[in-house]
Each structure stands twice: as structure tokens, then as C-alpha cells.
């Protein structure tokens, strides 16, 4: 009812608020904020149609720095608040800002259930593999053996593989990106926005204070070619500047030198193929495989939760509600006392 | 024709008890409905077993339905039974203590064979049908299964299906005994089994056979008549508390012209509100069955943020989980209705039994200084009005409102003088629309009632951020300023206190400030207390009665009403909760009447406690 048809143009600058950004200098969150601010004006919507909803954690301060609608909720619950809003205001563009502690620990339940229901919204998961706001405890994505304040002789907690978890929860869009690559990030956010359904983007985000360099192996220019694999739909899986590739032996991925195989034998990325997506999410524990970045899986088949629910409401909508309500009250046997 | 004499009675309390698979609830509901349609005033109390499928024939498997019907106004389902219908030994064992001496006991004698006695843990030699322990009652033994099977023989049903008709046989007999027609139940059975005509007809045959059994045999020498009650004129229907709650919420949504969003998770005894509301999507009702209690309330907050009416329903354990989110709604100053259909606690407690032990949780059960509005319904039908008002207060004051009901009134039914929507007060939500916003929107700017105006996401030019961190007054920006925090805590408290300005003043239900003693109650104890007080007054004992519906804030004149009394009693189904409020706020040496047995008060218990205190 409040959405206007005529789009009001705005720029990235217009998205800045009067609130001072309070992340630590050098934090990866800045780059993410910039990238989101960069792409929003390109999406053909007015500023008032965007809503950012966050939980608790460093990343969850994000809404305060966006001059859109924003709600900073409680720990782990952003996806639930966002679901209630999206169901009842389906035209809004709803973004959930969350972290590894927020969504994979305390909010794990809402995370998986939101993905399975598939409301049309975008979840940006800032994964820094640490609890930053509470000053440095291991998180559900920290590696085994991690030394932190709460694990002084090493964590014995096995970490989540967030994308495998999401796929297991029947997510319809999963992607991975990194704070150090603005262009790639922006592409992922755009793709997330245009996907109808819940889009999950896992962002490798450096916490330079409590977990500096956690992702350096993927982001550092010299190591990146060997460790990061940038996915392109319908393109063979290549890395190390094309020198290396991956083939599928049945369902088993294998590393090969490209000179040893024909280009036609390589594993070709297919965003719509869930089996291949599953294989790609498993490039996680095995160190020999590079870490995939990009859109790993998209399914356009599943209807969105907000569409389904609103369809039920619209298809049964009662024109004269007051009249129908009266009939409802008198629908059971009633009697007159004279 | 019948030669039985007809004896007129003022009222009857009847209890049906049997195995949970015996259709006891349906039988009781039918008798209640038929009597209500006839014009009796009624009150019902279903008593469910805690287990879904407890072993057949055992004590935990006993299901009961109590009905009080009368030619006088009825306020409770009654203390003791005039009639007990016991379908097996376990049902008799569980209920016989409540049967009045001289009362009518109808038993299915086949429910007392060796097996049933063993299941009910009764020694063969202690069989109550033969050991003389029932001599104080008028006992009618009927071979119910055999007679029922005979009656439905023409329909060639399987053994089980045939046996299932026995509740209708016994209902037919009761209809005859209380001089009621069977047409309403025939119509019901025809509707209920419209897809299976054979079953419908078999049940109807059993019903008729039971009726004629009374007519043709000589086992009953007399039958009874309870005349129509002389209650307020108008159109009535029967309603239970959960239905009334659902209708109240729905009515408020229609009246406010806003979508209703129910974010909830199934829990006994609140789930029926979800069941009812999920039938009514066409009224713009979003029913969201979430993955847990927390998601339910958080989604409701999200919907409120979007300009819908956010509601969450639960019982004590679920409310405990929602606590942090209720604090968030308090900080955001968004409307939110939280329905707590209380049950016995703590922890899982007594899921199917009633209690009023969540009052202090409702008032104080959150971190930080976090007052919310708390109101309580006092009877099944009153849930309609109170749920409606919960929405009205939440929307007009941008606050969370806790609506308290409990298992007793949630499942209990009574006639309801239907309140049409036009007769309910209007609801005026506090939203600001986009076009007036030339100046910068200040989310925490307040009106004279300290209520903020809400800008719904999507509105042009009103972009803003809110959250659970402390807000700066007016702007809503994050603020850690010490004085600002104190100011905001006081503002939020004052805002809730100011709701009292719009509430009706408290009145005496009975007596006045010159009475010798004052009894105070809240919530579902209304019926028992009111009945007890009016009986005492008839006996010449001058008792004043106050029944509180608005607990936070309390009505403004409550202190004034309480001050003159030296003797004050507070009756609650808990270990003493409201009493603390009365003692602390009004410095009165109030005494408690407390019961914590998972059961409502009996009238006699209240009467005796008052007499003792005099
Ligand atoms: S603690 Fe880490 S994640 Fe948090 S703001 Fe500082 S650098 Fe960023």
C-alpha cells in the first residue's frame, strides 16, 4: 500500500546514514557494506523498498549504516523477523544480515527452516570463523584445534560446512564470495537479489582483530590461483590459471593437469544440477581441492513461501469481511432468548 | 406411553467418564448443546487425559466431561455431580468421590469384568458393583455393549464400529431421563458422518434405542426436567475460551482493517487458537506455524513491523522461550499480542491441567526493566472481548500486551450472548503515512500518551532504523548515554502506566466498601468466586468482591476500593502471586486462598475460606 510506482533514483552515497560506522579499522565488514551500497541503486527499486534485518554480532550493526529501512533484532532471530515481514509485505526487498555465530549457532534452527521454506529474501552470512563482538571465542565454523579465549588448548568442536548445510536444508540458491573481491561480491549480491526464493550468500569475511588472515589462503594474490576456484555456469572447472582442472570419475571428483585431458572431459559447472552442487560443497575438508567461489546451486523450481501463503489468502479472500464474520459467529447452532 | 412421573429440578451437574476412545467429549458436548438450545444456562469442563493414547481401561486413560445445566444463571461447571455416567471401572474409580450422596450412577456393567478391574487396579473382591460400596447412590447397571450391538445389528458393522456407538446409546438414555428431544443430535450425526451414511444411521439407531430403553423399561421410575433459564434476552451460541480468543483476535483485525499474523508453535492447551485461525485465511489471516516458539514470536514482530497485527499464542513453557523477543518488542515499541493459555507448571508440569501460576512471569519475566500490559479473561466467553481489547491496546499504545487465559476456560464452554462487531469499540492504530513527511521522521517522537508513530517499511521518505539496543529519545539512534537510558526506562514504564487512562474503572462484583470482608480474584476463578459470594450473601454474610481483568496497569481506582477493608482475601490457583502485588502496592495484610492441584476452585472451597476468615 505504501509502494509507489515511480521509482525514485538514488546513489550509493544516498545510502549512507548519519551514524558513525563503528567496525574496527580494517574489518572486512566495510568492504561488504560498500559492495551492497554499490549495487542497490542499480536494481531499479526505490530506497524505501529495501529492508535490512540483522541479528546480533559485529555484522549485525550493518542496518544502522544503510539509509533504508532496518531492524537490528536479537541473537539468531533475524531470519524469523524477516519471514514475518516478507510474508505480510511481499513486495519489499528483504535482506538478512547475519554471521556464523548468529545463524549457525544460536539461530541454527531458524536458518535451516528458513531455507527449506524458501521465502523470497537474501541472506548475507558474514563468516569470519570467530565470535568478534564478544571478543574472540571459537565459532561453529572455527576449525578443530583453534586456539581462542574459550579454547586455550585448542577447540575440539568440529565445524559446520555452511553451504553443505544449506543444500541439505533444500536451499534454492547458495553462493560463496569473499570480502577482498569487490567485483565478485557485487555479482553475487546481484544474483542473490534476482533469484526468487531464499538466496544464501556465504561471505568469507576477515576479522582482523580476533581471527586475522583466516581466509588469506584464498584471498592472497599469490596463493589464490591454487586455492580458489571461480565458478562460471556451463564452464569447466579450471584453476591455477587454467593449468589445473577437475574431472568427474563417476561421482568422484579428481584433480588433473589440463594438459593431460581433453577439455571435454572436465567437470562442467551446472548451477541447476544438485548432485554436482553437492560435490562442490564437499570441496571443503579435503585440502587438495580448491575452494569454489560463485553460485554453486540455483533451483527455480520451488515456489516461494510468501507466494504460496499469499496465494492461499488471496484465493480465499472474503470481500465483505464484517458480514462474513457475523455469519461465522452465528454459524454454530444459536438460539434466541426472548 | 410413559407413565413415569416428571420431577422438576433447578439444576443438574452431570459427568460423563470413560475411556479416551469412548467418545466421552462428543457425548458431553452434544448434551451441552442440546440443553443450551433448549434454553438452559450451561457451563462445561472437559477433563482430558494427559497421554494421547493411554492404555485402554486404565486410570490414566480416563477422559471426562462435566456439564452443569440450570434454569438459573450458571457460573461454574459445578462442584459435585448429581449424575455420574461411568463407562468402565477406571472411570468410576476416578470420579466416584465427586458424586453426591443419593446421586444417580449409571454404569456400563460390562466395564467391570475381570480385565477391566485389573486394568483399573481393583481387586476382584473389591468390585464396587458387588461389594456394597455404592449403596449411597442410585445405581443403574446397564449392559451397554450388548444392548448397543443389538440396536445396530441391522447395519452389519464390524465389532469395533458397533461398539463405538455405545456413547450414543447412553446419550439417548440421558436425553430421555432429562426430558430432552434427540433431534439436535440426529442432525449432528447426519452432518458429521455425511460421507458414511451407514455409520450415521447406526449411531442414530443407538441413540434412539437408548432413548426408548428409558421409556420402555422400568428401571427408572421418574424422569427430570430443568426449565429454561431466565438470562438476558438476545442471541446466544455456545463457545469455549480458545474459540472466543480466536474470534476476538479475528474481529479486531476486521475492525482495525489490518491483516492478522499469527506466529506460533503447537502447545497444549493453546493449539486450538491456531487451529481456529488457520481456517480463516480469507479474512487476511496469516497463520505461520513456526519451527519453534521463538521463531513464532519473532515472525509476529516482523509482521507488526510491517503494519500487520502480530500475535503469538502459547502456554507457560513457550512463553518462557519467547521472553527475549517480548523484550525486543518492548524496545521497538511495536504492537504485539502474546496469548498465554496457562497450564500447570513449572517446566512441562501438568500440560492438560489448569493453573494461574504464570502471572508473575507475565508481569516480570523478562530481563531489564520491561513492563508490558497484562490482561486476563475471566470466563470462556469473556475471552472474546479481552482478546479484542488486547489487540486494541497493542495497536493504540504500540506496546506488547499479554493476554492471560488458562486451560479451564480455554476448553470450558458456556452460552455467549453474541457480541456483534459493531458493538465493539473502534481501533485506531498509530501509523504514519508517507505523504506528510517533509520533516525528518523521528521514530521515537511521542504523542500525549507517550505513544510513538510507526512508519511501515515501504513508506516513501520515512526510512529509519530501529533495534534492541537502547535508543536515544526521539531520534531512536543507538545511545549508551546514562541519563538517556534512565529516561527511556521511565518513559517506557510511564507509557504502559498511562494505558490505565483508557481503561474502565474497577467496580465491585458484589457488596461494596461497607462490606465486612473483601475477596479479590482474577482470571478464570471468576465463576467460582462469584457463585460462592452470592451464596454467602443469600446466607446473610456481607462479602464484597472485586474481580480484576486489567492487571498491568491496574485500574486507577483500585487502591481506593481496597483501602476501607481490614480483611482482604485473594483467591488464586497458584501459591500466591496477585496477592504480592496487592500487599506491595497497597500495604494491606491480604490473605491468600490458594489451590495448586491442577483443578479449578470449587464453590464450597471459596465459601469455607471466606467463612473462616470472618
Ligand atoms: S571484532 Fe572483528 S569482525 Fe568485529 S568489527 Fe572488529 S574486525 Fe570486524
Amino acid at each position: 500500500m505504501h509502494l509507489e510506482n515511480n521509482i525514485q533514483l538514488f546513489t550509493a552515497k544516498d545510502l549512507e546514514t548519519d551514524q558513525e560506522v563503528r567496525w574496527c579499522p580494517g574489518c572486512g565488514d566495510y568492504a561488504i557494506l560498500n559492495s551492497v551500497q554499490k549495487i542497490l541503486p542499480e536494481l531499479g527499486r526505490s530506497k524505501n523498498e529495501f529492508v535490512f534485518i540483522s541479528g546480533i554480532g559485529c555484522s549485525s550493526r550493518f542496518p544502522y549504516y544503510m539509509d533504508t529501512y532496518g531492524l537490528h533484532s536479537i541473537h539468531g532471530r533475524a531470519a524469523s523477523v524477516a519471514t514475518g515481514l516478507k510474508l505480510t509485505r511481499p513486495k519489499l526487498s528483504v535482506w538478512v544480515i547475519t554471521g556464523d555465530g548468529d545463524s549457525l549457532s544460536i539461530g541454527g534452527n531458524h536458518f535451516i527452516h528458513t531455507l527449506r521454506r524458501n521465502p523470497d529474501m537474501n541472506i548475507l552470512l558474514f563468516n569470519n570463523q570467530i565470535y568478534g563482538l564478544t571478543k574472540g571465542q571459537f565459532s561453529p565454523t572455527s576449525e578443530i584445534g583453534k586456539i581462542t579465549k574459550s579454547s586455550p588448548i585448542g577447540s575440539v568442536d568440529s565445524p559446520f560446512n555452511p553451504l553443505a548445510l544449506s543444500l541439505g536444508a533444500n536451499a534454492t540458491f547458495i553462493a560463496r564470495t569473499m570480502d577482498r573481491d569487490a567485483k565478485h561480491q557485487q555479482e553475487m549480491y546481484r544474483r542473490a537479489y534476482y533469484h526468487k526464493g531464499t538466496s544464501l550468500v556465504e561471505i568469507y569475511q576477515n576479522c582482523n582483530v580476533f581471527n586475522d588472515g583466516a581466509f588469506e589462503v584464498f584471498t592472497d594474490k599469490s596463493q589464490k590461483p591454487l586455492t580458489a576456484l571461480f565458478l562460471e555456469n556451463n564452464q569447466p572447472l579450471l584453476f591455477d590459471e587454467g593449468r589445473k582442472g577437475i574431472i568427474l570419475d563417476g561421482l568422484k571428483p579428481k584433480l588433473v593437469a589440463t594438459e593431460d585431458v581433453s577439455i571435454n572431459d572436465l567437470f562442467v559447472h551446472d548451477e541447476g544440477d544438485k548432485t554436482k552442487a553437492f560435490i562442490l560443497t564437499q570441496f571443503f575438508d579435503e585440502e587438495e581441492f580448491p575452494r569454489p567461489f560463485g553460485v554453486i546451486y540455483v533451483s527455480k523450481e520451488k515456489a516461494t513461501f510468501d507466494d504460496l501463503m499469499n496465494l492461499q489468502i488471496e484465493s480465499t479472500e472474503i470481500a465483505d469481511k464484517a458480514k462474513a464474520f457475523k455469519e461465522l459467529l452465528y454459524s454454530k447452532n444459536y438460539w434466541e432468548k426472548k | 406411553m410413559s407413565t413415569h412421573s416428571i420431577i422438576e429440578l433447578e439444576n443438574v451437574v452431570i459427568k460423563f467418564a470413560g475411556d479416551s476412545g469412548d467418545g466421552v467429549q462428543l457425548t458431553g458436548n452434544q448434551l451441552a448443546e442440546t440443553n443450551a438450545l433448549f434454553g438452559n444456562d450451561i457451563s462445561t469442563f472437559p477433563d482430558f487425559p494427559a497421554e494421547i493414547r493411554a492404555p485402554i481401561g486404565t486410570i490414566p486413560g480416563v477422559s471426562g466431561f462435566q456439564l452443569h445445566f440450570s434454569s438459573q444463571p450458571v457460573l461454574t461447571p459445578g462442584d459435585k455431580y448429581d449424575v455420574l455416567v461411568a463407562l468402565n471401572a477406571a472411570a468410576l474409580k476416578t470420579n466416584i468421590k465427586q458424586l453426591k450422596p443419593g446421586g444417580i450412577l449409571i454404569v456400563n456393567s460390562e466395564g467391570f469384568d475381570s480385565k477391566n478391574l485389573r486394568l483399573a487396579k481393583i481387586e476382584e473382591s473389591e468390585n464396587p458393583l458387588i461389594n456394597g460400596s455404592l449403596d449411597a447412590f442410585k445405581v443403574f447397571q446397564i449392559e451397554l455393549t450388548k444392548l448397543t450391538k443389538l440396536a445396530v445389528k441391522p447395519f452389519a458393522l464390524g465389532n469395533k464400529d458397533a461398539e463405538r456407538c455405545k456413547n450414543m446409546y447412553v446419550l439417548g438414555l440421558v436425553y430421555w431421563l432429562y426430558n430432552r428431544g434427540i433431534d439436535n443430535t440426529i442432525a449432528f450425526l447426519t452432518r458429521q458422518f455425511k460421507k458414511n451414511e451407514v455409520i450415521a444411521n447406526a449411531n442414530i439407531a443407538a441413540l434412539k434405542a437408548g432413548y426408548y430403553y428409558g421409556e420402555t423399561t422400568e428401571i427408572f421410575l421418574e424422569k427430570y426436567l430443568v426449565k429454561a433459564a431466565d438470562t438476558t434476552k438476545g442471541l446466544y451460541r455456545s463457545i469455549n475460551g480458545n474459540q472466543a480468543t480466536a474470534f476476538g483476535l479475528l474481529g479486531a483485525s476486521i475492525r482495525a482493517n489490518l491483516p492478522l499474523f499469527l506466529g506460533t508453535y503447537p502447545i497444549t492447551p493453546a493449539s486450538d487458537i491456531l487451529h481456529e485461525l488457520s481456517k480463516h485465511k480469507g479474512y487476511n489471516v496469516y497463520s505461520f506455524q513456526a519451527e519453534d516458539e521463538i521463531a513464532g514470536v519473532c515472525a509476529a514482530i516482523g509482521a507488526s513491523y510491517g503494519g500487520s497485527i502480530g500475535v503469538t499464542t502459547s502456554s507457560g513453557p513457550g512463553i518462557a522461550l519467547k521472553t527475549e523477543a517480548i523484550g525486543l518488542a518492548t524496545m521497538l515499541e511495536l504492537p504485539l499480542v502474546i496469548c498465554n493459555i496457562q497450564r500447570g507448571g513449572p517446566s512441562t508440569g501438568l500440560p492438560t491441567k489448569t493453573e494461574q501460576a504464570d502471572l508473575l512471569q507475565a508481569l516480570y519475566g523478562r530481563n531489564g526493566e520491561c513492563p508490558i500490559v497484562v490482561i486476563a479473561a475471566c470466563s470462556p466467553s469473556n475471552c472474546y472481548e479481552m482478546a479484542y481489547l488486547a489487540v486494541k491496546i497493542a495497536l493504540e499504545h504500540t506496546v506488547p500486551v499479554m493476554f492471560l487465559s488458562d486451560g479451564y476456560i480455554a476448553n470450558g464452554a458456556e452460552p455467549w450472548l453474541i457480541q456483534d462487531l459493531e458493538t465493539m469499540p473502534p481501533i485506531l492504530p498509530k501509523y504514519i503515512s508517507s505523504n506528510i513527511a517533509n520533516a525528518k521522521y523521528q521514530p521515537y517522537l511521542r504523542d500525549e500518551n507517550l505513544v510513538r508513530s510507526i512508519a511501515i517499511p515501504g513508506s516513501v521518505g520515512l526510512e529509519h532504523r530501529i533495534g534492541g539496543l537502547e535508543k536515544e529519545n526521539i531520534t531512536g539512534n543507538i545511545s549508551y548515554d546514562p541519563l538517556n537510558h534512565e529516561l527511556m526506562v521511565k518513559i517506557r514504564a510511564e507509557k504502559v502506566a498511562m494505558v490505565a487512562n483508557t481503561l474502565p474503572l474497577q467496580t465491585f462484583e458484589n457488596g461494596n466498601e461497607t462490606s465486612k470482608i473483601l475477596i479479590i480474584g482474577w482470571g478464570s476463578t471468576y465463576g467460582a468466586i462469584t457463585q460462592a459470594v452470592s451464596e454467602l450473601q443469600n446466607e446473610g454474610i456481607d462479602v464484597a468482591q472485586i474481580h480484576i481483568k486489567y492487571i498491568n496497569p491496574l485500574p486507577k481506582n483500585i487502591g481506593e476500593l481496597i483501602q476501607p477493608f481490614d480483611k482482604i482475601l485473594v483467591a488464586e490457583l497458584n501459591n500466591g502471586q496477585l496477592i504480592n502485588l496487592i500487599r506491595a502496592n497497597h500495604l494491606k495484610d491480604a490473605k491468600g486462598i490458594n489451590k495448586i492441584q491442577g483443578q479449578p476452585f470449587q464453590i464450597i472451597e471459596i465459601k469455607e475460606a471466606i467463612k473462616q476468615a470472618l
Side-chain angles (χ1 to χ4, degrees):
Chain A
M1 81 194 197
H2 290 272
L3 299 187
E4 310 268 312
N5 290 329
N6 50 332
I7 299 153
Q8 308 197 340
L9 295 178
F10 64 99
T11 63
K13 190 98 186 110
D14 294 329
L15 289 169
E16 290 170 14
T17 68
D18 56 1
Q19 298 296 294
E20 195 187 325
V21 185
R22 298 261 184 103
W23 289 311
C24 307
C27 175
D29 290 355
Y30 285 93
I32 303 171
L33 179 66
N34 287 338
S35 289
V36 174
Q37 287 181 338
K38 178 91 202 311
I39 66 130
L40 243 48
E42 305 165 5
L43 300 177
R45 313 271 305 245
S46 301
K47 195 159 72 103
N48 52 291
E49 296 176 45
F50 292 98
V51 188
F52 285 81
I53 298 181
S54 62
I56 295 293
C58 290
S59 59
S60 288
R61 294 298 178 94
F62 190 99
Y64 290 114
Y65 311 138
M66 291 288 290
D67 192 27
T68 59
Y69 284 90
L71 198 158
H72 180 209
S73 77
I74 44 178
H75 206 10
R77 322 299 173 200
S80 303
V81 175
T83 298
L85 178 65
K86 181 68 190 180
L87 285 173
T88 51
R89 293 273 166 200
K91 287 185 187 141
L92 295 172
S93 173
V94 177
W95 299 67
V96 171
I97 305 294
T98 184
D100 42 324
D102 198 49
S103 262
L104 300 176
S105 234
I106 192 165
N109 202 24
H110 315 308
F111 181 74
I112 54 176
H113 287 277
T114 302
L115 292 175
R116 82 171 160 89
R117 289 192 192 103
N118 199 36
D120 185 16
M121 57 197 200
N122 315 304
I123 302 179
L124 305 189
L125 177 76
F126 294 36
N127 181 6
N128 56 14
Q129 300 187 342
I130 197 81
Y131 282 88
L133 191 68
T134 50
K135 302 198 165 71
Q137 300 82 9
F138 63 93
S139 91
T141 53
S142 300
E143 65 279 11
I144 286 194
K146 179 131 199 125
I147 306 269
T148 70
K149 276 188 195 140
S150 58
S151 55
I153 54 171
S155 156
V156 291
D157 267 35
S158 184
F160 260 135
N161 173 344
L163 294 187
L165 176 72
S166 305
L167 201 62
N170 273 334
T172 58
F173 179 104
I174 59 171
R176 185 187 282 126
T177 187
M178 54 174 85
D179 57 2
R180 295 283 164 86
D181 190 336
K183 232 179 105 214
H184 190 261
Q185 265 189 77
Q186 288 162 22
E187 180 55 20
M188 291 305 105
Y189 303 154
R190 253 181 240 116
R191 291 284 312 267
Y193 171 81
Y194 285 111
H195 171 65
K196 203 163 155 47
T198 307
S199 311
L200 174 81
V201 184
E202 181 193 19
I203 308 155
Y204 282 170
Q205 174 245 321
N206 191 40
C207 168
N208 56 310
V209 173
F210 295 108
N211 201 15
D212 196 23
F215 304 107
E216 202 166 280
V217 56
F218 308 119
T219 57
D220 172 63
K221 282 226 162 58
S222 62
Q223 301 178 65
K224 203 170 171 176
L226 275 168
T227 55
L229 190 163
F230 286 85
L231 300 168
E232 297 277 349
N233 200 23
N234 299 323
Q235 296 300 317
L237 299 193
L238 291 169
F239 64 110
D240 195 12
E241 284 156 357
R243 282 188 288 270
K244 288 197 175 133
I246 291 161
I247 58 161
L248 275 180
D249 179 4
L251 286 178
K252 221 177 147 41
K254 284 191 173 147
L255 288 187
V256 289
T258 36
E259 56 185 25
D260 297 342
V261 292
S262 143
I263 185 100
N264 297 328
D265 292 338
L266 288 168
F267 178 156
V268 175
H269 182 44
D270 176 356
E271 291 173 355
D273 186 328
K274 199 165 187 178
T275 308
K276 284 185 170 172
F278 178 77
I279 294 167
L280 286 175
T281 61
Q282 299 308 309
F283 290 11
F284 184 74
D285 293 324
E286 295 115 283
E287 282 185 2
E288 52 168 332
F289 289 104
R291 194 67 55 97
F293 291 84
V295 176
I296 290 178
Y297 179 65
V298 191
S299 161
K300 298 193 175 80
E301 249 111 83
K302 196 160 156 181
T304 68
F305 189 47
D306 37 311
D307 272 355
L308 289 174
M309 191 171 286
N310 282 295
L311 194 69
Q312 282 195 338
I313 289 171
E314 280 154 27
S315 64
T316 55
E317 172 130 30
I318 296 163
D320 188 342
K321 297 188 178 61
K323 183 164 160 262
F325 184 64
K326 190 160 195 155
E327 282 161 15
L328 175 66
L329 294 187
Y330 292 91
S331 62
K332 213 177 158 208
N333 282 343
Y334 68 93
W335 63 92
E336 186 170 7
K337 190 87 219 176
K338 289 189 190 125
Chain B
M1 267 326 282
S2 169
T3 54
H4 299 89
S5 56
I6 297 182
I7 296 176
E8 204 179 305
L9 298 173
E10 189 183 287
N11 65 76
V12 170
V13 177
I14 182 168
K15 171 93 177 224
F16 290 96
D19 204 70
S20 54
D22 284 342
V24 165
Q25 302 299 328
L26 189 149
T27 312
N29 270 314
Q30 276 303 301
L31 182 63
E33 191 178 296
T34 300
N35 284 337
L37 285 171
F38 174 77
N40 291 140
D41 201 3
I42 61 157
S43 172
T44 73
F45 180 41
D47 193 7
F48 306 109
E51 284 81 22
I52 301 299
R53 292 274 178 266
I56 295 173
T58 61
I59 301 268
V62 174
S63 171
F65 189 96
Q66 184 174 336
L67 165 68
H68 183 183
F69 59 103
S70 176
S71 58
Q72 297 298 317
V74 157
L75 292 165
T76 76
D79 288 3
K80 297 221 160 184
Y81 322 141
D82 300 295
V83 190
L84 172 62
V85 179
L87 299 182
N88 63 24
L92 181 107
K93 189 177 170 182
T94 319
N95 288 285
I96 193 70
K97 277 203 210 96
Q98 295 289 106
L99 183 61
K100 287 180 190 164
I104 295 175
L105 173 64
I106 301 173
V107 294
N108 170 21
S109 52
E110 290 151 316
F112 290 78
D113 58 13
S114 317
K115 187 178 166 205
N116 273 293
L117 289 171
R118 195 177 64 244
L119 287 167
K121 302 213 160 77
I122 301 172
E123 296 290 326
E124 197 95 26
S125 59
E126 298 291 306
N127 183 351
L129 297 189
I130 51 175
N131 77 348
S133 63
L134 304 175
D135 288 352
F137 311 112
K138 292 183 202 141
V139 185
F140 301 96
Q141 294 191 35
I142 298 168
E143 290 176 291
L144 193 55
T145 315
K146 197 173 115 196
L147 290 170
T148 305
K149 281 187 179 160
L150 217 59
V152 302
K153 205 162 175 203
F155 302 95
L157 302 179
N159 213 18
K160 270 226 167 100
D161 281 340
E163 233 189 290
R164 279 225 180 103
C165 299
K166 70 173 187 277
N167 61 333
M168 286 300 116
Y169 192 98
V170 93
L171 180 62
L173 178 59
V174 171
Y175 276 147
W176 176 83
L177 192 60
Y178 288 97
N179 218 27
R180 292 281 181 269
I182 56 175
D183 293 354
N184 181 50
T185 297
I186 291 178
F188 165 80
L189 290 168
T190 313
R191 268 199 320 273
Q192 187 77 358
F193 297 110
K194 65 169 176 271
K195 292 207 182 102
N196 195 336
E197 228 174 277
V198 180
I199 295 281
N201 290 334
N203 274 288
I204 292 168
L207 181 75
K208 286 184 175 166
Y211 189 89
Y212 293 126
Y213 180 82
E215 182 80 22
T216 51
T217 64
E218 290 294 316
I219 80 161
F220 292 100
L221 299 175
E222 48 208 23
K223 55 199 292 194
Y224 305 94
L225 177 66
V226 177
K227 285 197 168 153
D230 186 20
T231 38
T232 313
K233 290 188 176 65
L235 295 171
Y236 285 80
R237 60 168 284 165
S238 155
I239 200 159
N240 71 36
N242 275 344
Q243 237 175 354
T245 303
F247 287 165
L249 296 169
L250 185 56
S253 136
I254 296 164
R255 195 71 198 274
N257 198 18
L258 294 174
L260 183 70
F261 183 97
L262 175 66
T264 190
Y265 187 77
I267 186 170
T268 303
S271 306
D272 281 341
I273 303 173
L274 164 65
H275 303 159
E276 185 64 41
L277 284 176
S278 57
K279 286 189 236 165
H280 304 300
K281 295 205 158 144
Y283 287 91
N284 249 333
V285 172
Y286 292 84
S287 69
F288 174 54
Q289 183 181 314
E291 59 273 24
D292 60 28
E293 297 278 0
I294 299 171
V297 64
C298 286
I301 291 172
S304 275
Y305 177 51
S308 295
I309 303 167
V311 178
T312 191
T313 49
S314 192
S315 190
I319 301 294
L321 288 166
K322 297 179 198 293
T323 298
E324 187 192 9
I326 299 170
L328 175 66
T330 303
M331 259 330 218
L332 299 177
E333 302 192 34
L334 284 173
L336 178 69
V337 174
I338 309 119
C339 301
N340 181 356
I341 317 305
Q342 300 164 94
R343 63 191 223 185
S347 186
T348 312
L350 302 168
T352 59
K353 306 292 172 197
T354 200
E355 206 162 271
Q356 298 183 297
D358 297 347
L359 178 63
L360 295 183
Q361 179 195 41
L363 290 169
Y364 307 120
R366 289 164 294 282
N367 63 306
E369 295 287 348
C370 191
I372 62 173
V373 175
V374 179
I375 65 177
C378 71
S379 74
S381 64
N382 181 242
C383 289
Y384 176 78
E385 196 181 340
M386 296 311 279
Y388 183 97
L389 290 175
V391 173
K392 177 175 162 71
I393 296 170
L395 287 171
E396 293 182 351
H397 296 266
T398 65
V399 284
V401 177
M402 178 91 73
F403 161 89
L404 295 175
S405 162
D406 61 39
Y408 173 54
I409 55 177
N411 291 316
E414 64 180 2
W416 173 43
L417 178 60
I418 301 174
Q419 284 166 283
D420 285 327
L421 214 45
E422 309 88 80
T423 66
M424 303 301 282
I427 299 177
L428 306 164
K430 297 287 298 179
Y431 300 115
I432 85 165
S433 64
S434 46
N435 30 26
I436 58 161
N438 281 331
K440 185 174 157 44
Y441 168 61
Q442 304 282 22
Y444 284 75
L445 197 63
R446 295 163 194 282
D447 69 8
E448 65 282 4
N449 290 316
L450 300 178
V451 177
R452 79 179 190 92
S453 292
I454 297 170
I456 298 168
S459 313
V460 176
L462 301 179
E463 292 88 345
H464 67 284
R465 275 66 53 197
I466 53 177
L469 285 167
E470 184 59 283
K471 316 252 141 321
E472 185 178 70
N473 190 24
I474 300 172
T475 66
N477 289 333
I478 301 174
S479 167
Y480 298 114
D481 180 74
L483 292 178
N484 174 74
H485 175 55
E486 188 161 307
L487 175 71
M488 292 302 279
V489 165
K490 302 238 160 156
I491 287 177
R492 285 188 290 264
E494 185 58 20
K495 182 173 102 163
V496 169
M498 285 178 83
V499 172
N501 295 339
T502 65
L503 298 179
L505 292 180
Q506 184 69 49
T507 53
F508 288 104
E509 298 292 331
N510 273 301
N512 57 44
E513 59 283 353
T514 66
S515 300
K516 279 207 277 298
I517 187 166
L518 171 67
I519 180 163
I520 303 176
W522 66 276
S524 70
T525 54
Y526 173 76
I529 300 174
T530 309
Q531 184 66 32
V533 170
S534 45
E535 285 179 22
L536 288 174
Q537 287 194 327
N538 289 340
E539 294 168 27
I541 301 173
D542 188 10
V543 184
Q545 180 198 358
I546 280 177
H547 203 81
I548 300 175
K549 289 179 179 170
Y550 304 95
I551 304 177
N552 194 45
L554 285 163
K556 289 171 88 173
N557 64 332
I558 199 109
E560 230 172 276
L561 295 195
I562 291 175
Q563 271 327 310
F565 292 92
D566 294 326
K567 286 185 177 162
I568 298 177
L569 297 172
V570 181
E572 313 174 72
L573 296 171
N574 57 40
N575 207 18
Q577 301 201 1
L578 179 71
I579 192 171
N580 290 328
L581 229 64
I582 302 289
R583 293 176 72 110
N585 293 342
H586 301 290
L587 304 176
K588 282 287 186 183
D589 185 21
K591 300 266 188 309
I593 306 177
N594 304 97
K595 180 174 180 181
I596 325 155
Q597 300 165 13
Q599 297 290 333
F601 277 121
Q602 297 199 348
I603 296 156
I604 185 87
E605 292 167 337
I606 307 266
K607 279 174 80 176
E608 272 165 15
I610 296 175
K611 280 184 183 164
Q612 246 171 37
L614 274 168

